Amino acid sequence: MKTIVITGSSSGIGKATAKYFAEQGWKVAATMRTPEKATELNQLDNVSLYALDVTDEASIATATEQILSDFDTVDVVLNNAGYAVAGAFESATPEQVKRQFDTNVLGLMSVTRAFLSHFRANDAGMFLNVSSIGGLVTFPLMSLYHGTKWAVEGFSESLSYELSELGIQVKIIEPGGVDTDFSGRSMTFAAKEGLTAYDEMLGKFQANWGKSGLTRSTAEFLAEGIYNATTDGKTQLRYLIGPDAEQVYGMRQQVGDDAFVAGMKQRMLS
């Protein structure tokens, strides 16, 4: 029976993926900031809960030590924890900028580092890093979020070179829109008192986003896609999951960068 460690398991993609892997007979170390609040994963036989805050190095070290003590081998680490800061960059506080990158980028790196020596000792292992279609294309008024996801893309691709020589795989998960609470609990809006220059733009974007026609996938659909990426035996690096992700990225590849950006501006800000 194989073991997977999942960060950000309290809700959404992380929770659905923990449940799906457990249903497939895997042992799951589901990590979250407040496991004492879990009401469903703690009822599953194959799932063990651990407190882990990806922005806290001491928390990562403690959780890693506990997990490696409880399980003989960890086979896969799914770096899933993340959230978004939306709004104009000028509106964001330095604290919001720091927390965005601490969570989505530096936290992912720290968790990866924590399990690397275990994978090296076993000459095997897999890191699954959750990026987004937002790591391949951009939308207006999401510059901080896109900055983190493009960083995850570059970090993961380059890391795959060095780790493949040690028998360790890196795969990037790129979901499209997912029907979770990402736009609620997992999204923060930047706003600066007295700054109104972006209000009209924001209004246009919000109105046009609702008319985009893009299909959002369920967290369960994404969980199945993550499982397939884990078990397909391929050396494939990137996994687009969701029809909207394939549609949007396919459009960028077809028309080219400049035309895609111009088209996105016309569609979302007109």
Side-chain angles (χ1 to χ4, degrees):
M1 186 181 293
K2 291 189 174 183
T3 300
I4 183 171
V5 176
I6 304 175
T7 65
S9 299
S10 61
S11 63
I13 296 168
K15 181 178 179 180
T17 304
K19 291 169 63 178
Y20 192 88
F21 271 77
E23 290 167 359
Q24 308 310 310
W26 282 57
K27 292 182 287 186
V28 179
T31 76
M32 59 195 74
R33 286 179 294 178
T34 54
E36 64 275 9
K37 295 182 180 179
T39 58
E40 189 173 356
L41 291 182
N42 60 348
Q43 304 297 319
L44 301 181
D45 291 339
N46 289 359
V47 178
S48 301
L49 303 185
Y50 298 87
L52 191 155
D53 181 345
V54 299
T55 67
D56 185 333
E57 292 286 350
S59 172
I60 294 171
T62 298
T64 302
E65 183 179 0
Q66 291 174 341
I67 291 168
L68 294 180
S69 175
D70 291 344
F71 299 99
D72 293 334
T73 303
V74 168
D75 301 282
V76 178
V77 172
L78 173 63
N79 281 307
N80 166 72
Y83 82 108
V85 175
F89 170 70
E90 188 179 356
S91 299
T93 66
E95 291 75 20
Q96 286 177 315
V97 175
K98 184 176 186 302
R99 182 169 178 258
Q100 178 77 112
F101 279 83
D102 282 350
T103 302
N104 291 11
V105 181
L106 299 181
L108 180 149
M109 291 179 175
S110 295
V111 172
T112 298
R113 184 187 296 110
F115 285 94
L116 261 176
S117 61
H118 177 73
F119 282 177
R120 282 194 295 101
N122 294 334
D123 298 317
M126 180 185 296
F127 291 106
L128 294 168
N129 294 338
V130 177
S131 176
S132 166
I133 183 59
L136 298 171
V137 306
T138 64
F139 302 104
L141 298 164
M142 296 286 292
S143 57
L144 289 179
Y145 176 74
H146 287 303
T148 64
K149 292 306 183 181
W150 284 54
V152 168
E153 293 279 341
F155 169 71
S156 300
E157 181 174 314
S158 183
L159 185 68
S160 71
Y161 294 124
E162 59 200 69
L163 296 190
S164 65
E165 299 299 305
L166 306 177
I168 302 168
Q169 281 191 281
V170 177
K171 296 191 174 189
I172 309 171
I173 305 299
E174 297 157 337
V178 184
D179 190 17
T180 70
D181 67 348
F182 181 80
S183 60
R185 188 179 65 84
S186 298
M187 181 175 286
T188 298
F189 285 86
K192 185 176 182 180
E193 186 175 358
L195 180 60
T196 61
Y198 303 95
D199 288 356
E200 183 179 353
M201 186 187 309
L202 180 59
K204 290 178 180 178
F205 175 75
Q206 290 175 327
N208 289 325
W209 182 258
K211 298 182 292 185
S212 66
L214 296 176
T215 302
R216 296 167 68 88
S217 302
T218 64
E220 290 72 22
F221 178 86
L222 182 57
E224 182 177 359
I226 291 173
Y227 180 81
N228 292 337
T230 306
T231 59
D232 65 5
K234 298 179 181 179
T235 57
Q236 181 176 331
L237 176 64
R238 288 182 166 84
Y239 290 79
L240 280 165
I241 304 179
D244 58 330
E246 295 175 0
Q247 176 186 347
V248 172
Y249 189 55
M251 185 185 305
R252 181 167 191 145
Q253 289 181 305
Q254 180 180 356
V255 304
D257 290 351
D258 292 338
F260 179 87
V261 170
M264 183 63 66
K265 182 178 180 180
Q266 175 67 26
R267 173 181 288 189
M268 292 298 178
L269 299 180
S270 64

